[in-house]
Amino acid sequence: MTTTMNMNMTGLRKILIGLCAAPSLALLPAAAWAQTVDINSASTYQVIRGFGGHNGVGWIADLTSQQVDAAFGTGPGQIGLSILRMRIDSSKSEWQRQVPTAQLAKAKGATLFATPWSPPAYMKTNNNVAGSGHLLPRYYTDYATHLLDFAAMMRANGAALYGVSIQNEPDWEVSYEGCLWRTSELINFLRAEGGRFNDIKLMGPESLKFDKAMSDPILNDASTVQHLDIVAGHLYGVTPSDDALARSKGKELWMTEHYTDSAADANDWVNAMPVAVELHKSMNSNYSAYVWWYIRRSYGLLTEDGKVSKRGHIMAQYAKFVRPGDRRIVATERPYHDVLVTAYKGANGKLVVVAVNNGAQRRSLDLKFSADKPSTLSRYLTSATTNQQYMGENAVADGKVSLVVEPLSVSTLVNQRAAAQ
């Protein structure tokens, strides 16, 4: 963590201590005047496929059925994840480990996809799953079969995959399980084998820093662009950013792995708030999916005891309400410099607004809806002292409603309360 980040975290911690020591948030002054958030459901952006996490079975213990419920359930206090990421082991004898949690998540309606960390050792230049090496071109067909066989095994076990990735972080040289791919190698593989993945979405490159330099040549190549269905990447060392080229080619953007900090406990509120900011930035960058690293970890969405963490409750402010198939709609993104807003619409007139207050002041907002106008909005709040707490109903008059959002908090407003319980 950089010195600047440490200073920022220290400042936020002092603010948080002060807020918790105050007699009541209601006694804190709001802004002198409200800022307007214009919301127009007639103008849409990306479709949302969901929010998810990685199951680390094979490296750590599998999720229990109760933990799957906590992560993928949509009941009170649960997270509402709708995407499960899993690992394609280099050894087929280990594949069955992925089935139990995948079956349970699938039964809850989750989208499943899988990522390989390494091909079998004999297919690589270094003859080892550890260390990076490269996939030998003479094994392109065998490697494609390896990926498709995993998908077939999952399908046979009632846990059909939506997509499969070519490689985890092909641009990151590691000492553990991994494989390096040059962009030219990805292009050659897609030319040779991409047509075999007709029944399953092919994802990639899943680069460490969502590097457009890896995906752009694929998208600009007429022989490969039709084979890459989803442009996927990670956010290590970078902030979310749009990819206009990918979208112009009809490709969805999926953020398939990140964690904001592995050193801090997942229940440390100051270190949890960056998750809310990153979720907002990802949605505002036209990402259709956001997938956290380990679901259960000391820094995860669930802590090691299986309880939903503060980071998990933040994720729930998006995941439980913004469901697969919803679309992001036009909304004023920054009514204040420290308040971040996105809005969404779904079936049957559903509208959702998520407001992240990343600052030290209460902020007054005037929400103004054009096109679809709700009659009332249910509000849910996660803060240092609350977890997805129902905050009551906000009546909407002629498409307008005013509210105050607390410092260092995430508020979700939805006009279909029953569907969110």
Side-chain angles (χ1 to χ4, degrees):
M1 183 179 291
T2 65
T3 301
T4 301
M5 187 175 292
N6 279 323
M7 292 174 64
N8 290 339
M9 289 299 183
T10 300
L12 285 172
R13 197 175 302 281
K14 289 179 179 178
I15 292 168
L16 182 59
I17 291 171
L19 293 175
C20 291
S24 169
L25 282 176
L27 300 180
L28 292 171
W33 56 83
Q35 296 297 312
T36 299
V37 176
D38 289 310
I39 300 167
N40 181 4
S41 59
S43 184
T44 64
Y45 297 108
Q46 79 273 27
V47 64
I48 305 301
R49 298 302 177 191
F51 303 84
H54 179 83
N55 183 30
V57 61
W59 290 328
I60 63 173
D62 199 3
L63 297 174
T64 67
S65 59
Q66 293 81 7
Q67 290 165 2
V68 174
D69 285 342
F72 291 89
T74 56
Q78 298 177 326
I79 301 175
L81 299 183
S82 51
I83 297 176
L84 174 67
R85 183 187 188 223
M86 65 194 78
R87 167 173 159 260
I88 303 177
D89 199 292
S90 59
S91 173
K92 291 186 176 183
S93 64
E94 301 295 317
W95 286 357
Q96 197 68 28
R97 291 188 181 200
Q98 304 295 332
V99 171
T101 288
Q103 289 175 329
L104 292 173
K106 187 78 171 183
K108 293 181 177 296
T111 295
L112 312 179
F113 79 95
T115 299
W117 263 249
S118 174
Y122 74 88
M123 296 185 188
K124 294 176 61 182
T125 55
N126 64 344
N127 195 34
N128 196 326
V129 295
S132 297
H134 289 256
L135 177 65
L136 291 162
R138 67 176 178 270
Y139 290 117
Y140 282 0
T141 297
D142 291 343
Y143 183 56
T145 299
H146 178 79
L147 301 180
L148 289 166
D149 283 351
F150 179 85
M153 183 277 298
M154 295 300 295
R155 187 184 304 110
N157 282 278
L161 300 181
Y162 181 79
V164 63
S165 175
I166 301 171
Q167 171 64 45
N168 178 72
E169 297 176 358
D171 52 345
W172 184 236
E173 188 164 3
V174 298
S175 58
Y176 51 85
E177 195 172 336
C179 186
L180 288 172
W181 291 67
R182 302 178 188 90
T183 302
S184 59
E185 292 171 326
L186 290 169
I187 287 173
N188 289 337
F189 176 78
L190 286 167
R191 284 174 179 166
E193 306 298 330
R196 297 176 61 191
F197 292 82
N198 291 331
D199 297 330
I200 191 168
K201 303 290 186 184
L202 198 54
M203 308 167 65
E206 277 206 280
S207 62
L208 182 75
K209 298 184 177 183
F210 225 129
D211 188 0
K212 296 178 180 66
M214 291 204 77
S215 56
D216 282 1
I218 297 170
L219 297 170
N220 284 320
D221 189 312
S223 66
T224 58
V225 64
Q226 74 269 30
H227 298 311
L228 187 65
D229 299 296
I230 296 169
V231 175
H234 302 171
L235 290 177
Y236 295 105
V238 295
T239 58
S241 63
D242 192 12
D243 188 337
L245 175 62
R247 290 191 296 107
S248 74
K249 302 290 184 177
K251 312 301 179 183
E252 291 182 2
L253 304 174
W254 284 36
M255 199 297 289
T256 51
E257 183 191 310
H258 195 223
Y259 60 91
T260 54
D261 176 19
S262 62
D265 187 287
N267 285 312
D268 183 316
W269 183 244
V270 170
N271 284 286
M273 276 301 293
V275 180
V277 174
E278 185 170 273
L279 278 161
H280 167 85
K281 289 181 177 179
S282 294
M283 295 298 98
N284 199 57
S285 295
N286 289 302
Y287 293 178
S288 290
Y290 180 99
V291 182
W292 189 257
W293 181 218
Y294 280 126
I295 294 174
R296 188 196 66 237
R297 206 67 163 169
S298 63
Y299 53 85
L301 307 177
L302 304 177
T303 46
E304 292 293 0
D305 58 5
K307 294 181 180 178
V308 178
S309 70
K310 281 292 188 182
R311 292 178 180 183
H313 288 298
I314 286 174
M315 179 77 90
Q317 293 283 148
Y318 286 86
K320 190 183 289 187
F321 303 94
V322 184
R323 301 300 295 171
D326 291 356
R327 282 190 173 272
R328 186 168 69 91
I329 60 178
V330 166
T332 304
E333 185 206 355
R334 284 183 179 265
Y336 297 88
H337 74 278
D338 51 7
V339 175
L340 308 168
V341 178
T342 52
Y344 311 83
K345 74 173 183 179
N348 301 316
K350 184 182 81 168
L351 293 171
V352 181
V353 180
V354 184
V356 177
N357 186 347
N358 197 39
Q361 298 183 52
R362 300 176 81 206
R363 296 297 196 184
S364 298
L365 301 176
D366 287 339
L367 306 185
K368 293 186 177 181
F369 294 85
S370 57
D372 300 308
K373 297 179 180 181
S375 59
T376 186
L377 292 169
S378 305
R379 183 179 172 216
Y380 300 84
L381 175 70
T382 293
S383 66
T385 57
T386 63
N387 297 320
Q388 305 179 50
Q389 182 174 334
Y390 172 61
M391 303 297 289
E393 300 297 305
N394 293 261
V396 183
D398 193 27
K400 299 177 183 178
V401 62
S402 298
L403 69 147
V404 174
V405 290
E406 291 78 359
L408 298 178
S409 70
V410 187
S411 291
T412 304
L413 297 103
V414 59
N415 67 334
Q416 292 181 2
R417 183 184 171 195
Q421 294 300 296

